Amino acid sequence: MSLFSRLKLREETSPDTVAVMDQNRSWTWQEILDRAAAYRAELEKRSESIDSVVAVPIFVDRTGETVAAILGVLLAGKAFSPLSPDQPADRLRACMEKLDYADLLIVTDPTHVEQALRFVNHPIALPNDAKGKFEGSSESKPGHLLYILFTSGSTGTPKGVMVSRDNIDNTMTWSVDVIDWNEEDVMGNVAPFFFDISMFDLFTMIYFGVPLAIFSKTSDVHTSLAEISQHRITSIFSAPVFFSQFLRAGMLGDVRLASVRRIISGGDFFPPAHVLAWFSACREMAIWNVWGPTETSIVNTMHRVDQRDLPDLQKGRYPPVGRAHSQMPFVLLNEDNEIARPNEPGEICMIGRCVTQGYLADEKRTSEAYFEWQGEPAFHTRDIGVLNEEGELFMLGRIDSMVKIAGYRVELGEVESAAAQLPDILLGAAFVHEIEPGVKEIRLALEPREGASPEISTLKRRLRELLPSYMVPKRLFLLRAMPRSSNGKIDRRELAAKYGAGQ
């Protein structure tokens, strides 16, 4: 079924059913589709510009207006590219130049119009009362480009990941083998619309008719709890820091969480102690630990935490992230570029329909990361994993986070797992500081639990009990709160910059 057919079905069968909720209002399917049609009409007035762009850039925000703008671009038969207007101007310009944006830019929040004028002469910012007629679509075919998401990766330089409709068809049809959506579900959107997890939220709404409730202030646990209760949110997919804040605030037992029947954690390591706390406090809730990079269509493996995981969680070990699936096959390649044996670490390489079309206007990095495996498209994720005898995949970390300290190979994720077991500590983030050329040491930033005042000496002593001597961080830093990147992950670059040289 085409995207237009899915949307047409919503209009015909449930026009007055709520599709999107934000801090300002609720949008029925008819309202969101009529608003999308207005964006489509405005784009079609600029036919010369729209024909020349690779994807239409959109300054996104946390409202249904952004959803309507995205749908409008899709109805016009073009790919979209969601951009954060809060990025530095030079980075925004670099992204839009790669898109050949041709004086075309949608602004979904009027407060960003002035900023948009730095890049285009005539930004698209619809008046509040603009509506169109939802009718026939010129949407793209399955193999055509659907969206371009810019990600920095390890270099800091924008990389535009090109995702096709076939990629998303694959992700969505695979997801129903794992997640049992029903008519009572409401998806709580945490991730900003320029981060790939939000695309899973968005297309779950489109493919399965699951209403989307957009959290207004994801860093405020009290506001989030109120919105969970108000919108009867049943499902939340987020980076783990969102879930960890409920633990920090001591609110895992709050009755306002009662509607939630599943949480899905991905994009970073969910500390085992935090997984255990959620599992113990919310017995009726499904807790999913998942994995997948932007370049392989959002998410590729899912594991529901259960009783069998408890012994490992209690020892501070991460649970698995899932298994291979016929729609999400992968191989682990060892250092000799051969398929790793069970319990042998290897780089996870995704294969098949999940593999996206490469990086926009960047042949060099595309050729380095994308390849062919036995006649199928494949992608080097640079994530290190290991398969046990039962075929369960365990994440060990990034190739980038595997470091050598005094001749020993150290995975920083293991240090962070130990940090989460420290008394009165909520989160830990490890990084490496080079004291002098060739001489490195591990440093560790720690965020205490609310109201706690742990002693550095006590924490160091406990770390020596949990880790081999060569893995024990040389310096610890207690922070009131970890710095966060725009997508909600811990910003380890900022930590290294602030607590590295000169400390």
Side-chain angles (χ1 to χ4, degrees), residues 366-436:
T366 296
S367 64
E368 291 170 348
Y370 292 78
F371 66 109
E372 191 174 280
W373 178 266
Q374 296 181 353
E376 294 285 334
F379 177 75
H380 288 289
T381 70
R382 296 185 64 78
D383 281 333
I384 302 297
V386 64
L387 286 170
N388 64 13
E389 299 286 351
E390 289 73 42
E392 294 176 313
L393 177 64
F394 292 79
M395 300 303 300
L396 300 180
R398 295 280 296 167
I399 288 177
D400 319 82
S401 66
M402 190 76 75
V403 298
K404 271 201 170 183
I405 302 292
Y408 293 95
R409 292 177 66 86
V410 176
E411 171 48 58
L412 296 179
E414 190 173 346
V415 179
E416 293 177 0
S417 175
Q421 299 177 65
L422 296 174
D424 297 326
I425 294 299
L426 180 74
L427 291 171
F431 57 96
V432 171
H433 172 61
E434 191 166 26
I435 304 170
E436 57 185 75

Side-chain angles (χ1 to χ4, degrees), residues 74-150:
L74 294 177
L75 291 175
K78 294 300 294 186
F80 65 93
S81 184
L83 301 173
S84 168
D86 299 324
Q87 297 177 81
D90 287 348
R91 191 180 192 279
L92 276 172
R93 189 172 298 281
C95 294
M96 288 196 287
E97 285 177 352
K98 283 194 172 185
L99 296 170
D100 292 331
Y101 63 106
D103 199 45
L104 200 62
L105 173 61
I106 294 177
V107 180
T108 58
D109 183 338
T111 63
H112 293 131
V113 169
E114 186 174 342
Q115 183 183 9
L117 287 168
R118 301 175 190 174
F119 305 99
V120 298
N121 294 318
H122 304 288
I124 295 176
L126 295 183
N128 291 334
D129 59 351
K131 292 195 301 183
K133 182 172 176 54
F134 179 69
E135 51 190 3
S137 170
S138 55
E139 63 171 329
S140 59
K141 295 178 181 178
H144 289 186
L145 195 62
L146 189 61
Y147 65 85
I148 295 176
L149 213 60
F150 283 92

Side-chain angles (χ1 to χ4, degrees), residues 21-80:
M21 294 160 276
D22 61 31
Q23 60 185 317
N24 302 317
R25 59 171 292 190
S26 293
W27 303 68
T28 65
W29 275 104
Q30 191 67 66
E31 289 169 335
I32 204 82
L33 291 173
D34 285 349
R35 187 66 171 176
Y39 277 105
R40 173 190 176 178
E42 187 61 32
L43 286 168
E44 290 177 343
K45 290 178 185 176
R46 308 186 185 197
S47 58
E48 187 173 325
S49 294
I50 198 172
D51 287 344
S52 65
V53 298
V54 180
V56 177
I58 305 175
F59 274 3
V60 295
D61 60 13
R62 299 197 59 75
T63 67
E65 190 70 28
T66 285
V67 176
I70 289 172
L71 294 180
V73 175
L74 294 177
L75 291 175
K78 294 300 294 186
F80 65 93

Side-chain angles (χ1 to χ4, degrees), residues 312 317 320 330 332-335 338-347 384-396 402:
D312 279 343
R317 297 172 183 162
F330 61 80
L332 269 62
L333 299 181
N334 62 20
E335 292 181 343
E338 298 173 344
I339 295 178
R341 301 180 301 275
N343 301 313
E344 178 187 12
E347 181 194 8
I384 302 297
V386 64
L387 286 170
N388 64 13
E389 299 286 351
E390 289 73 42
E392 294 176 313
L393 177 64
F394 292 79
M395 300 303 300
L396 300 180
M402 190 76 75

Side-chain angles (χ1 to χ4, degrees), residues 67 175 232 262 327 356 440 446:
V67 176
S175 73
R232 306 273 320 151
R262 72 173 71 78
Q327 287 180 255
T356 55
K440 299 176 181 177
L446 297 166

Side-chain angles (χ1 to χ4, degrees), residues 19-25 27 32 61-68 186-193 198 201-202 205 211-218 223-224 227-228 230-231 233:
V20 182
M21 294 160 276
D22 61 31
Q23 60 185 317
N24 302 317
R25 59 171 292 190
W27 303 68
I32 204 82
D61 60 13
R62 299 197 59 75
T63 67
E65 190 70 28
T66 285
V67 176
V186 177
M187 175 70 85
N189 167 250
V190 175
F193 284 109
S198 70
D201 299 343
L202 176 72
M205 182 197 86
L212 192 63
I214 304 171
F215 286 104
S216 62
K217 193 175 181 182
T218 59
T223 300
S224 295
E227 291 172 343
I228 288 170
Q230 176 188 354
H231 301 310
I233 291 171

